[in-house]
Amino acid sequence: MSRPLRTVPARLLALALAAVTLTACGQAPAAQQAQPSAAAPQAGFPVTIENCGRKLTFDRPPAKVVTGYHPSLETLLALGLGDRIAGRTYFGESAFLPGQKEQYDRIPQISETIMLPQKEVMLAQGADFVLDNAMASFDAAGGYATVAELDAAGSPVYILGGWCSPEETLQYTLDETFTDIQNLGRIFGVPDRAEQLVSQLRGSLADVKQRVGGRTPVKVLATDGGKGPVNAYGGSGITDQLITAAGGENVLKDVKGDYTEVSVERVSAAQPEAVLVSDYATLRGEDMPSSPAKAEETFAIARNSPAAKEKRYLALPVAAQHPGYRNILAVAEIARFLHPDAFAQ
């Protein structure tokens, strides 16, 4: 793999900056094995997984895990692995999935932002596994421990969704989420549990497809606000995938990229019938307007659109727009918003 492994998605950086305000790769070498154990080998191990062009080999399930941004934590919690998590980052009053806030509160916080802690603090955690969904927290220029440094310390890194480089964020498909869950199931020695979860999620997708199939797709604009240019989501990546799977049509599908800037004129001409607004929950401030405020900005720009006339928008937790378990849940949520009559029964 010749592409760099470092990427800082704009919306993830925005989240980090907001959290900071409110709370105070080149090719990596092949990952080394998890620290050896003198105990007898566990059934099903060793396990080798490929991630970001590196091979991660585990002689036993990780027992001291550090998670990065919210979707990485909630994915492990969905697999019933909360007891393996020794440290997590800060999410404030984020949009937690049912039952997960209590588990979040019990896990030690090791960073005051959504990013992993700085290098010295991170290396001091002694983690035997690190899970995140972007390369932003492994950027040496930002003072973070790199993937290579963590590998060398016996803390192998797994990146969700194949978000290993800017180019690869654009190649995301929903199948990446299933692959991640299955990989994590193997890494933690709970493959049956992972397959059961994947089966449930595939069933949810199949139900949505059956309900919205044959219906005229709703024209959707996905935005993160802005009076000009507008922060919006083009025809590549997670958000476009969510819209399409939910029975929508991204009005910016011809715009290259995932999170990008779009002119006011383009948004005005798009004529969306519904709007998705990235919601940062209670991460608010002068530089982080609320979802209703961002929706009103969009309606003012696309004032003659059906969406503006009906004030039709859905606040979508930004965690759903990053790789993780929540991606599949978001498809059903968006589908109910776009096609409520299909879920009336």
Side-chain angles (χ1 to χ4, degrees):
M1 177 178 173
S2 60
R3 288 175 292 189
L5 295 182
R6 187 175 63 207
T7 178
V8 185
R11 58 190 177 283
L12 187 57
L13 182 58
L15 273 169
L17 293 175
V20 169
T21 299
L22 296 174
T23 58
C25 113
Q27 172 73 39
Q32 66 182 43
Q33 294 185 346
Q35 294 180 355
S37 171
Q42 181 168 329
F45 286 81
V47 166
T48 298
I49 300 292
E50 186 169 338
N51 183 252
C52 290
R54 301 151 47 245
K55 288 186 177 180
L56 307 175
T57 299
F58 301 86
D59 293 326
R60 64 187 186 280
K64 190 175 184 182
V65 181
V66 166
T67 58
Y69 179 45
H70 195 159
S72 59
L73 173 68
E74 61 190 11
T75 300
L76 288 186
L77 294 183
L79 281 166
L81 297 169
D83 61 335
R84 314 284 186 91
I85 305 172
R88 49 91 181 153
T89 60
Y90 168 83
F91 312 137
E93 296 299 320
S94 186
F96 287 91
L97 293 172
Q100 290 199 353
K101 178 63 164 62
E102 295 80 2
Q103 297 179 77
Y104 164 90
D105 287 338
R106 290 196 293 267
I107 299 170
Q109 178 176 305
I110 61 173
S111 172
E112 293 185 348
T113 77
I114 64 168
M115 308 289 282
L116 292 173
Q118 294 285 283
K119 178 177 177 177
E120 293 76 13
V121 175
M122 184 64 198
L123 291 174
Q125 300 304 310
D128 58 7
F129 188 66
V130 180
L131 184 66
D132 209 338
N133 50 22
M135 297 300 294
S137 282
F138 308 99
D139 186 352
Y144 301 103
T146 66
V147 169
E149 288 170 333
L150 287 164
D151 282 342
S155 304
V157 174
Y158 186 102
I159 301 296
L160 293 170
W163 272 25
C164 307
S165 71
E167 296 84 1
E168 285 158 309
T169 65
L170 305 182
Q171 298 167 9
Y172 169 90
T173 68
L174 292 176
D175 282 340
E176 301 277 3
T177 296
F178 299 132
T179 298
D180 285 335
I181 292 172
Q182 291 167 331
N183 283 346
L184 291 171
R186 292 182 60 203
I187 290 170
F188 284 89
V190 291
D192 292 344
R193 195 183 304 174
E195 290 297 339
Q196 182 178 15
L197 182 58
V198 166
S199 178
Q200 292 172 353
L201 294 175
R202 287 193 185 279
S204 176
L205 278 185
D207 178 66
V208 169
K209 184 176 181 179
Q210 188 276 328
R211 290 174 183 271
V212 305
R215 295 172 180 266
T216 301
V218 177
K219 295 181 179 179
V220 178
L221 170 68
T223 177
D224 195 17
K227 298 179 180 179
V230 178
N231 298 313
Y233 298 84
S236 304
I238 285 180
T239 303
D240 182 70
Q241 289 270 319
L242 299 181
I243 292 170
T244 302
E249 178 184 356
N250 186 353
V251 296
L252 299 178
K253 63 182 180 182
D254 295 330
V255 175
K256 183 179 180 180
D258 177 16
Y259 189 90
T260 187
E261 291 185 341
V262 181
S263 70
V264 168
E265 292 75 16
R266 182 66 186 264
V267 171
S268 179
Q271 290 293 296
E273 297 169 331
V275 173
L276 296 182
V277 177
S278 297
D279 182 49
Y280 293 77
T282 58
L283 285 180
R284 300 285 181 252
E286 293 181 1
D287 297 324
M288 191 60 60
S290 67
S291 295
K294 289 190 283 190
E296 287 302 324
E297 289 177 350
T298 302
F299 294 149
I301 293 170
R303 62 177 61 87
N304 295 319
S305 69
K309 292 176 182 178
E310 298 175 14
K311 301 292 185 182
R312 187 182 183 191
Y313 81 95
L314 173 69
L316 180 66
V318 73
Q321 296 174 281
H322 292 75
Y325 163 73
R326 192 190 289 247
N327 298 150
I328 312 302
L329 305 185
V331 172
E333 181 182 5
I334 296 169
R336 290 188 181 91
F337 165 64
L338 299 180
H339 301 281
D341 55 327
F343 294 84
Q345 296 181 348

